[in-house]
Amino acid sequence: MTIDRFIRALKHRLPESRLTTDPVRCFALGTDASFYRLTPQLVVAVETEAELSFLLIQAQLCQVPVTFRAAGTSLSGQAVTDSVLVVLTDQWRGCRIDPLGERVHLQPDLIGADVNHRLKPFGRKIGPDPASISSCKMGGIVANNASGMCCGTRHNSYHTLAGMRVVLADGSIVDSRDPLSIAEFRSSHGCFLDKLSQLSADLKANTALTERVRHKYRLKNTTGYGLNALLDFDDPIDILTHLMVGSEGTLGFISEVSLNTVPDWPHRASIMIGFDDLHLCAQAVTSLRSCPVDAVELLDRRAIESVAHMPGLPDFARQLPPEGGMLLVDVRSEVADALSGHCDQVMAALERFPQGWRSTGFTRDSMQIAQYWNLRKGTFPAVGAMRATGTTAIIEDVAFPVERLAEGVAALQALFDRHGYTEAIIFGHALEGNLHFVFTQGFEELSEIARYDAFMQDIAEVVTGVLGGSLKAEHGTGRNMAPFVAKEWGEDAYGLMKRIKQVFDPAGILNPGVILNDDPKAHIQHLKALPAADPIVDTCIECGFCEPVCPSRDLTLTPRQRITLYRELQRQSRNEGVNPLWQQAFNYQGIDTCAATGLCELRCPVGINTGELVLTLRQRNNHRYDRLARFMGRHFATLATLTRGALWTAQGLQRLAGAQRLERYSLSMRRLSGGRTPLWPAATPGSARPVHAPTRLTRPTDLDTVVYWAACVTQAMGPALGDGRQPIPAAALSVLRKAGLAVVVPQPTRGLCCGQPFHSKGHVEVAEQQRRELVDELWEVSSGGRFPVLSDTSPCSLRVRAQAEERGIQFYDSVDFIDRFLLDRLVIQPEAGRVAVHTTCSVQKQGIEASFQRVLNAVTPHWVQPEGMACCGFAGDKGFTQPELNASSLRHLAGSVGDCLYGISTSRTCEIGLSQHSGLTYFSLFEVLDRQSDHTQ
């Protein structure tokens, strides 16, 4: 087979660890956000441009199709294949910013939001702003010509392109920013460039087609290849690079791109405007085009209903008639005074319509603006979350001439009713005539597939034939619209596109079936099944938004891939029976190496915590240990004492053998045992003395009193060998005394636990009992909630917080306690040097990041937080039992914090792994505050 020959050729150049043929891994890695399912035979992780060039040469020789994948957030089937899938290692994340920030040079594996974060100090951002910008990567953004809510057509990838480095199908490389590279390419590929020039000349000679192309690109349009490149440029190098924009991996690989950035104005105001009639709404959009607005978003009545449960929706929106709609307008400016003028112009434009509308008025309040835009962003998730199990949420993307926007909305609503999509909603970027519509669709029955096919045929006819619009405005052509490209563009333009494909990829090996596909039924083939698996995850739409924050994403599976595999296992169990090799692989990749921190929930548009599913599965797998767990829970104080004894013994062995040597011994033992024994890192702490809780009489009238609950982990784990730390409770008590606070400690300290160790192993009942006992004790010792309660460990705070607050307890993590009660009571000498910071998952999930930043700004103002490390992966005891998870998550940490004095975190176990993999010592927030503060003011 050609694929076997191809694999043999790659093994001569690439390590086998980067060639995946295992069917379980290929199934998981082959998933993207679209509603298509193709499983690659081979997944190749390429690390360098030279490797990619070699791969493409071999693919040509072996006639093996190749598909490139960035983040896999594309919606139209651009990034799935049943042949070879090429993914990128994290060596493709280079970023260079010109001195003034007006141009940025990017490799394809960088996430778009991370680029904007780096540009923020310059007051700049990239032009494209897709809704998936926090997850999608630059390779996909450019290859799909992404735009978004604010960028329109003038700031999309095509119009902000400043240069590009491309690897073509024959393995050759050209860099349009390098004169030497251009000269070499002209010499070696003169015939190639001549053909591009001829294509340009042929189009310009066809007056009717030229006018059609220019008309089509006055709208947002990503259907087919960018024929405007043949008109906009004369130099074939420029034509080449601009044809690559929006080519969806069918013409070559973009290994680096340079984009002109746009201003990111700091002053902002938003307004919501309701209209009784969509025609009036569309007329208002036309009027607003002449105003200095940044974005105008439209929601039809059904879209408004889908987010009626969310905060921020004005009352008048709930009272709009069925034919009504709403606009969300955003205005930005470099200076505050100019913003007022912009708002006045918008209101003047609206006042031309004497009746039939009402508004909230402009607000500059950031919280209110966030609520407005969360409503807009919540429309797609709202439909996705409410869909029936087994169906998928499909989001499509069309554009109309703005003057025909109301007709377009009415036509779409009529098609929804005709084909039975009564749940469908419409929203979109009205300023550009760009509308998205979302509906739910099942593909289990032939009748459902036929319904979808008939609907798409009607959509194509109405959008392109009747209203002169675009079938794809910003989501890319993909597989879903490939059969309709000829219908939209006409045979002359379609023939030109085929010639473009032939010039770039004569063998047809690059992403075949995408953009151009002569099969009229290609859009209803290889449809993805979403079988019921578990109510916790059944609403997953496999968008991939969760992936950037998952610590196991480069080791085993992401949350999306865990759900994908679990769904397949459930399908197998109902049909042919579960393949034992698949189940074995899932046990390790899906369950054992999941940190179960739940950060994925914060990124998920439908609020799924994949960790909850994993904990449920652990509960099933570990039920045979329930009796032991109950015994340990009943005797937790004894267990804590034994833990301290074990840590004391281990540190004694470290003193005798050396901490590094003991780590190597434990690693060797782990290898010999097949991973059954734990790793003992050199940064493992020694034992700590438990907090002594003297009897103290308190009265409800006492002032300046705090209840300090020291978590069991801080009472068990003291300093590591030679790290210069002090026990966290000692530091906390010292700071509280400096602040002049009286401290009350719960009784008995050693037997209280939030239950997290049991919960993470799936022993839910024991964990819940532990938590109840703790909350009861905190209620008593806080005098029925009279005194605030301080927790010194963020994961434990997260575990207890909601239940404590339900009981009326004033409960605080160390982060928000310091922010609220201590900063004003202490004289702080800020740390002068750079300090590394890790914001734990539990701080993020408690929503106290702003408090954390205020504390850091006061104590260590020169703090830095490395990108791409949302979770450290230590996950309680995973750093001991699955150390590869911690190592994978933090593999770049040392290189990111090399110039820092030390680190800060708020979880004692996380600090072990952070210290281990950074070369620094990570301290608790209380330890640093104790060192940098002097006395009560």
Side-chain angles (χ1 to χ4, degrees), residues 24 556-557 562 565-566 569 578-594 614 617-618 620-621 624 878 882:
V24 180
T556 50
L557 299 174
R562 282 186 172 87
L565 270 186
Y566 188 66
L569 289 172
V578 175
N579 185 322
L581 294 178
W582 282 60
Q583 184 64 63
Q584 182 181 356
F586 184 75
N587 286 343
Y588 174 72
Q589 298 178 34
I591 300 176
D592 294 345
T593 56
C594 178
V614 171
L617 298 177
R618 286 177 184 167
R620 296 175 193 169
N621 292 347
R624 59 187 181 277
K878 288 292 182 187
Q882 250 84 43

Side-chain angles (χ1 to χ4, degrees), residues 894-907:
S896 302
V897 299
D899 59 345
C900 294
L901 301 175
Y902 54 85
I904 296 176
S905 185
T906 57
S907 167

Side-chain angles (χ1 to χ4, degrees), residues 287-351:
S287 295
L288 290 172
R289 284 177 66 86
S290 61
C291 297
V293 294
D294 209 56
V296 177
E297 295 292 299
L298 178 146
L299 293 86
D300 76 346
R301 186 67 179 86
R302 294 174 182 176
I304 296 167
E305 290 172 356
S306 74
V307 293
H309 62 286
M310 297 178 65
L313 188 71
D315 290 338
F316 66 73
R318 295 181 172 87
Q319 300 166 7
L320 291 174
E323 63 275 12
M326 191 160 63
L327 295 180
L328 171 55
V329 180
D330 204 47
V331 177
R332 301 194 188 208
S333 176
E334 186 175 9
V335 294
D337 290 344
L339 185 67
S340 299
H342 294 344
C343 295
D344 290 343
Q345 289 184 56
V346 171
M347 296 308 297
L350 291 172
E351 286 167 4

Side-chain angles (χ1 to χ4, degrees), residues 205-327:
N206 187 332
T207 305
L209 185 55
T210 294
E211 180 52 37
R212 178 161 177 75
V213 170
R214 294 203 184 280
H215 166 74
K216 294 289 288 182
Y217 287 104
R218 292 187 185 104
L219 305 176
K220 272 189 173 184
N221 191 332
T222 57
T223 309
Y225 291 121
L227 295 181
N228 50 340
L230 301 176
L231 296 179
D232 295 343
F233 303 97
D234 296 318
D235 189 328
I237 295 292
D238 289 331
I239 293 173
L240 185 160
T241 57
H242 284 81
L243 280 172
M244 289 296 301
V245 177
S247 63
E248 301 175 27
T250 64
L251 302 182
F253 176 83
I254 302 167
S255 61
E256 188 169 290
V257 64
S258 297
L259 297 177
N260 295 317
T261 61
V262 300
D264 186 14
W265 301 131
H267 298 283
R268 181 182 187 188
S270 291
I271 183 174
M272 297 196 88
I273 314 155
F275 295 86
D276 294 338
D277 186 275
L278 272 175
H279 284 275
L280 187 63
C281 188
Q283 290 174 31
V285 172
T286 304
S287 295
L288 290 172
R289 284 177 66 86
S290 61
C291 297
V293 294
D294 209 56
V296 177
E297 295 292 299
L298 178 146
L299 293 86
D300 76 346
R301 186 67 179 86
R302 294 174 182 176
I304 296 167
E305 290 172 356
S306 74
V307 293
H309 62 286
M310 297 178 65
L313 188 71
D315 290 338
F316 66 73
R318 295 181 172 87
Q319 300 166 7
L320 291 174
E323 63 275 12
M326 191 160 63
L327 295 180

Side-chain angles (χ1 to χ4, degrees), residues 23-31 37 69 557 561 564-565 589:
V24 180
R25 295 281 295 154
C26 285
F27 184 87
L29 294 171
T31 298
R37 166 81 67 205
R69 162 78 63 81
L557 299 174
Q561 292 162 357
T564 295
L565 270 186
Q589 298 178 34

Side-chain angles (χ1 to χ4, degrees), residues 1 283 463 466 637 723 847 856 910:
M1 293 177 61
Q283 290 174 31
V463 172
V466 177
D723 67 2
L856 291 169
C910 294

Side-chain angles (χ1 to χ4, degrees), residues 70-140:
T73 58
S74 53
L75 297 164
S76 302
Q78 297 97 312
V80 293
T81 179
D82 56 2
S83 181
V84 176
L85 182 66
V86 176
V87 297
L88 304 177
T89 70
D90 49 20
Q91 298 301 307
W92 294 85
R93 295 179 186 170
C95 175
R96 293 178 292 112
I97 301 173
D98 282 3
L100 298 179
E102 294 180 346
R103 185 170 292 178
V104 62
H105 313 276
L106 305 162
Q107 287 188 305
D109 202 47
L110 270 169
I111 291 174
D114 291 344
V115 178
N116 282 342
H117 178 73
R118 298 186 192 190
L119 288 168
K120 197 169 187 64
F122 300 90
R124 312 287 293 182
K125 61 181 180 178
I126 59 173
D129 62 335
S132 59
I133 196 167
S134 293
S135 303
C136 64
K137 297 180 177 179
M138 291 309 307

